[in-house]
Structure formats: C-alpha cells, structure tokens
C-alpha cells in the first residue's frame, strides 16, 4: 500500500511539472508577441506595442551637415506656423523620425518648399546610428503628443539616406522648358556639357519614364524640354541622368542623380515665370538670402523703401525659430511694406537661389537689387536731401529702349567695407548708426539687374549675373555717384555667429583650411572663431559718417526730454 501511495505521489508531481512547463510556455512573451510588422512605403499606419496607431507620412530624407536629417513629406497640406490654416499640429499631434534599432528623434517642422508646397521637417540623427553604414532613411511618423513609437520595421526594404552634396533638390517650369537645381553634377573645374545629360521624368504611379535632352548646364542650374505627353493627375518625380556620351549609343553607361524634386507642368495662368508686366508697381525690387537676420531686417527695409525699393524677397536659408524672422516680416507687412519669404533650406546654394529668383520673380519685378541685409546702397549726392525720395535709386538705372548697340542690363556698384568701429555689441539704433569706420579701398561690388537681361543659363557669382550676349551689357557706377556701405565686420559677438556659415556655393566656410588668401576671408583671422585682441578697432582706416548723419536726418527724431536720437526702426 505504501509503495502504491509513493508511485501515485510521484506521478502527481510529474503531471504538475508537465502542466507548469506547458503553462510557462503558453504565457511566455515569445508565444504571445505578434509577428513583426514589415514596413513598406505603401503602408499608411503602424501599430506600436499593440496599443496605439501611428500614421506613417510618406517622405524622402536628405542628410544635411551636422547630422541633421531633412525630411520632405509628400503631402502639400500646410501646418501650424506656416501661412496656411494649420493642420494636426494645432490639434495635438507630433512627429518623429524613427531610425534603425527604433531610435527616436523629434521631427521639427521646418517650412514649405516653393512651388510644390510640400512640408518639411528636421530631425537630429541619434549618435548611436551615426556609425552604421550605409545610412538608412528614417520613417516619419505622426502620433499623439508625449508618445513615442516603438515600431517593428523591415529596415532592409528602406532606401538609403540621400546626401545634400549630390542631389537634384528643386525644379521650376517655364512656358518653354523645365529648370532643375542639382548639386554634385558640375564643379568649378568641370562643367558637364548638356549633351552628357538627360532629364528623367518618372510617373510614380506607373513607374513609366520620359526622358528629354538637357539644353543648358551651368553651376547648379540645368534646363531641359518638357516631357511629351505629360501624364495627367500623377505625381511625377524628376531627376538628371549623367550619360557617358563618349561611347557608342548601344553601350552608353549612365548614372541617375538622387532626387527630391517633383515636376509641375507649366500653367498658362502661372504668371510667376512670365515676363514683367508694366502695370506692376514693383519695378524695382530687392532680393537676398538670409539666415538669422531678424534684428537687422527692419532698418534695411525701411531705409531702402525710402529711396525706391518697392518689394523685398527673402530667400530664407534655415533661420532659427528664435530669430523670429517670420514675426519681423509679419510686422513689416502690417506696416505696409511688401516683404515675402521663400523657404530655401539647401546648404551652400546662394547662387542657385538667385537663379531661382530670376525665374520666379520676372513677372512682378523689372529690376532686382541683389544686396545683403548688412549692405546699404547710398549716393553722396543725397546728402543735402531733406527727406528720402522713391526715385533716388530709380535715377541710377538706365532708361530702357534707348538707341545703341547694347542696352545696359546691369548696374554694378562698388562696396565700402566697414569695421567694428569700437562696438562691442550690436548697436541698438542700427548698423548705419553704430559702424562709422571703414577700409579705404573698395572691395567687391553688388548689382542691380534687369531680370529680362539675364542669360538663359542663369549663371551668377552672387555679385553679378551673366547677361544675354550681344544684347545687354553691364555698367559700373563711380563711387561719386553711388556706393554700397557694407557693414561686414561687426561687433565680435555678431561676427562670430556667422563665422562658420557661408551660403555661397563656391566660397568655403571660414573654418575650412582652403583658399586662405582669398578676399572672401577676413584679413588677420584664421580658421577658428577666436577674437583677435584688436578686433574692436580693426579695419578702421577712414572715418565715414555720411550715411550715419543722413539716416539721422531722414529717419531719426528726438523724443521729449531726451538727449539721444531715436531711429524709426527702434521699436
């Protein structure tokens, strides 16, 4: 009997062990976890940890300098902070970039691209991802505020992250052709022949391709013919194909440039790229590329409006939100000034931005003044004027249709470079008041350009444009008639903020050890942002107060019971 009880007890223990093993296996996370969710670009929603739904925003991504990933949404819907009505930003949604290994980075709204209206975001690449090669494009997700996605993504199916140094980044259509903007195709030492290039249009719904010959290749600007036929209602991607035209046609090798550009056929009512209308009131405009210039903008606009500029177009090259450029622009518009911004985030693309402006502003502007916000056009002949006049700048421009073999299509004005003038911080009453000591000799020049006179290649050096050969010519203005006061070397804290960043394509950043003797570099300053001991009085060879006194007379007033003059832009 005792033996029977022992056997029964052992069997019971064995059954309990088997049951416990089965229960543990049944309750294990491995068995209950759903199979991985394989992500592809066609998926619109992802489930994180089986609890919350995250919308996937179809997008393209480009790696910018300093490990910033620039993400372009395929949607053209506007967001809060833009000039539209706002979208889910205002209703409590937020965006994330999801990188390999589910590393998360907040995606901050950056701006809306010109023409296509697509939204863009910026997110920092996590340091743990930077050592992995190749770089994989992140997934842009939209979710509720204060929640972060934990997604199972098939990263093997994701495209590689595009680089800003080799990229077709924008396009614009005219009545006769398509203009592409691309990096990494031409170099100063090698400009590819148009015959070595083709434009490739891809209908993204069918993957059907159309190719047309390139007719012009210069700097970062390429022109080609419209595709025929044009698919209706389809999103059409656009890029460049590099063809080795030294081989036989049947053995041609080609390279496709990565692209985030899209093609929009020209519309007959698209007035932006048509010729200037004489009925427009903006015969003289000003265009510049800006980055964090909020504190300087009012003085620049108010002064040049007084002497004849009717409209301002600012190509915003990634200004910080803290700079409040949009707020300053909004205030100027409310005060009656015509000021527009064009979102232009591309690194080192100033020349291309100016080329873009020729096409997009030709209808609304006849003459375009290309000067920076620290540059003020001034004529010594204005010194005795009691107030500014809108015809002051206009009087410097030639009358059109004058008889002669060539018409003047560009007026070039020499620059005077001003130094820190013993200032240790930004002068609160403006640069024209605070900086009064300059170098003796003129350096560089800036131009006022007849947009209709610009060569079809759109080639420019920032300072001036190439004009249509045999039809137009450039004319230099003597310093006794006009000069550009360039407040170039400001108080050290101001100068230091722009030390790293040069927006010109062909001018290296100051921190790079190249072209050390270039005139674009600061004399006596190396490749580090370290203040020289004599900075405050550097570049002071001539005391020049002419514009300081003139602007005091035009724009200054003395408040009651105060000894100092208050300028119109000090509010």
């Amino acid at each position: 009997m005792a033996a029977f009880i022992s056997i029964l007890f052992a069997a019971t223990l064995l059954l309990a062990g088997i049951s416990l093993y089965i229960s543990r296996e049944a309750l294990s996370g491995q068995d209950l976890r759903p199979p991985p969710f394989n992500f592809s670009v066609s998926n619109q929603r992802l489930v994180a940890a089986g609890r919350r739904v995250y919308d996937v925003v179809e997008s393209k991504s480009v790696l910018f300098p300093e490990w910033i990933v620039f993400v372009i949404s395929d949607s053209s819907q506007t967001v809060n902070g833009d000039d539209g009505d706002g979208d889910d930003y205002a209703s409590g949604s937020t965006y994330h970039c999801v990188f390999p290994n589910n590393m998360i980075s907040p995606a901050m709204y950056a701006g809306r691209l010109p023409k296509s209206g697509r939204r863009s975001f910026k997110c920092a690449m996590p340091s743990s991802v930077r050592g992995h090669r190749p770089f994989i494009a992140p997934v842009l997700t939209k979710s509720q505020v204060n929640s972060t996605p934990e997604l199972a993504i098939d990263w093997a199916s994701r495209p590689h992250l595009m680089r800003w140094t080799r990229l077709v980044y924008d396009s614009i259509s005219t009545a006769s052709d398509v203009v592409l903007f691309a990096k990494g195709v031409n170099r100063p030492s090698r400009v590819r022949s148009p015959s070595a290039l083709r434009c490739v249009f891809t209908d993204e719904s069918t993957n059907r391709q159309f190719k047309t010959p390139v007719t012009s290749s210069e700097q970062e600007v390429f022109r080609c013919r419209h595709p025929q036929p044009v698919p209706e209602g389809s999103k059409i991607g656009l890029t460049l194909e590099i063809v080795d035209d030294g081989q036989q046609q049947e053995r041609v090798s080609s390279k496709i440039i990565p692209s985030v550009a899209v093609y929009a056929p020209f519309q007959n009512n698209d007035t932006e790229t048509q010729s200037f209308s004489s009925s427009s009131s903006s015969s003289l405009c000003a265009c510049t590329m800006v980055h964090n210039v909020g504190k300087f903008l009012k003085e620049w606009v108010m002064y040049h409006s007084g002497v004849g500029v009717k409209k301002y177009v600012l190509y915003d090259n990634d200004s910080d939100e803290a700079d409040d450029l949009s707020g300053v622009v909004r205030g100027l518009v409310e005060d009656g000034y015509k000021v527009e911004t064009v979102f232009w985030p591309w690194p080192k693309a100033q020349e291309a931005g100016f080329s873009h402006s020729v096409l997009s502003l030709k209808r609304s502007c006849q003459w375009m003044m290309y000067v920076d916000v620290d540059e003020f056009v001034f004529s010594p002949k204005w010194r005795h004027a009691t107030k500014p006049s809108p015809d002051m700048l206009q009087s410097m421009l030639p009358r059109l249709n004058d008889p002669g073999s060539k018409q003047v299509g560009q007026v070039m004005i020499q620059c005077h470079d001003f130094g820190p003038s013993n200032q240790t911080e930004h002068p609160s009453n403006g640069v024209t008041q605070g900086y009064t000591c300059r170098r003796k000799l003129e350096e560089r020049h800036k131009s006022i350009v007849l947009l209709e006179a610009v060569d079809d290649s759109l080639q420019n050096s920032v300072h001036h444009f190439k004009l249509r050969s045999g039809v137009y010519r450039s004319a230099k203005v003597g310093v006794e008639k006009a000069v550009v006061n360039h407040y170039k070397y400001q108080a050290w804290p101001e100068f230091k903020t722009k030390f790293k960043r040069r927006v010109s394509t062909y001018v290296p950043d100051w921190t790079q050890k190249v072209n050390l003797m270039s005139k674009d570099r600061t004399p006596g300053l190396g490749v580090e942002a370290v203040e020289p001991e004599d900075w405050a009085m550097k570049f002071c060879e001539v005391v020049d107060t002419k514009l300081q006194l003139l602007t005091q007379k035009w724009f200054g007033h003395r408040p009651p019971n105060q000894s100092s003059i208050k300028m119109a832009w000090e509010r």
Side-chain angles (χ1 to χ4, degrees), residues 336-533:
Y337 298 98
K338 291 184 179 181
V339 186
E340 302 175 1
T341 58
V342 177
F343 183 53
W344 195 257
W346 318 112
K348 300 189 76 65
Q350 185 175 18
E351 291 89 344
F354 285 179
S355 296
H356 184 278
S357 73
V358 172
L359 296 174
S360 62
L361 300 171
K362 191 179 292 187
R363 173 70 175 179
S364 59
C365 301
Q366 187 174 32
W367 290 90
M368 184 66 74
M369 183 173 73
Y370 289 95
V371 298
D372 296 333
V373 295
D374 60 355
E375 297 172 333
F376 290 70
V377 181
F378 162 71
S379 173
K381 296 181 178 181
W382 301 344
R383 294 172 62 186
H384 302 295
T386 56
K387 61 181 180 179
S389 169
D391 63 357
M392 283 179 162
L393 281 176
Q394 195 74 41
S395 65
M396 297 182 186
L397 305 177
R399 289 183 299 172
L400 299 180
N401 301 319
D402 278 352
S405 58
K406 286 186 180 180
Q407 172 71 47
V408 173
Q410 182 165 237
V411 175
M412 302 163 70
I413 308 173
Q414 296 293 106
C415 297
H416 280 157
D417 289 346
F418 281 70
S421 306
N422 209 27
Q423 299 288 337
T424 58
E425 61 183 16
H426 173 65
S428 60
N429 53 2
V431 296
T432 59
Q433 302 305 297
Y435 301 112
T436 56
C437 205
R438 62 171 174 84
R439 304 179 76 178
K440 183 177 181 179
L441 298 178
E442 295 83 19
E443 290 283 352
R444 302 292 190 184
H445 61 266
K446 289 302 175 78
S447 301
I448 304 176
V449 186
L450 177 67
L451 295 185
E452 193 64 33
V454 174
D455 185 73
D456 287 343
S457 68
L458 304 176
Q459 179 185 354
N460 69 86
S461 66
V462 174
H463 307 289
H464 60 265
F465 277 82
K466 180 180 179 181
L467 303 183
R468 289 162 54 189
S469 178
V471 183
Y472 293 97
R473 63 181 176 89
S474 297
K476 287 188 176 181
V477 175
V479 294
E480 73 284 351
K481 183 178 180 181
V483 70
V484 174
N485 276 18
H486 185 187
Y487 300 102
K488 183 176 183 179
Y489 308 112
Q490 299 186 15
W492 180 256
E494 300 300 330
F495 185 82
K496 183 179 178 180
T497 59
K498 68 175 185 178
F499 185 82
K500 283 186 178 181
R501 211 173 200 277
R502 310 300 299 275
V503 293
S504 174
T505 309
Y506 305 106
V507 176
D509 293 342
W510 279 312
T511 55
Q512 297 176 353
K513 297 181 180 180
V514 294
N515 296 342
L516 298 181
M517 302 305 295
S518 170
K519 289 185 178 180
D520 289 302
R521 289 192 170 275
T522 303
L525 195 65
V527 295
E528 296 181 359
V530 178
E531 181 180 3
E533 291 183 4

Side-chain angles (χ1 to χ4, degrees), residues 25-37 47-50 150-152:
E25 287 296 296
L27 293 174
S28 69
Q30 180 179 357
D31 284 347
L32 290 180
R33 187 177 302 156
F37 188 97
V47 179
E150 300 175 3
L151 310 174

Side-chain angles (χ1 to χ4, degrees), residues 10 35 38 44 62 96 129 136 248 290 312-313 342 522 534 544 559:
N38 292 327
Q44 296 299 315
V62 182
H96 295 95
V129 181
I136 303 300
Q248 295 297 323
V290 299
Y312 302 84
V313 182
V342 177
T522 303
D534 59 345
D544 186 342

Side-chain angles (χ1 to χ4, degrees), residues 54-55 58 63 114 153 230 251 312 338 343 353 359 390 486 541:
Y54 295 88
D55 290 330
E58 294 189 11
L63 182 59
I153 299 171
V230 178
R251 299 177 58 192
Y312 302 84
K338 291 184 179 181
F343 183 53
L359 296 174
H486 185 187
E541 299 171 352

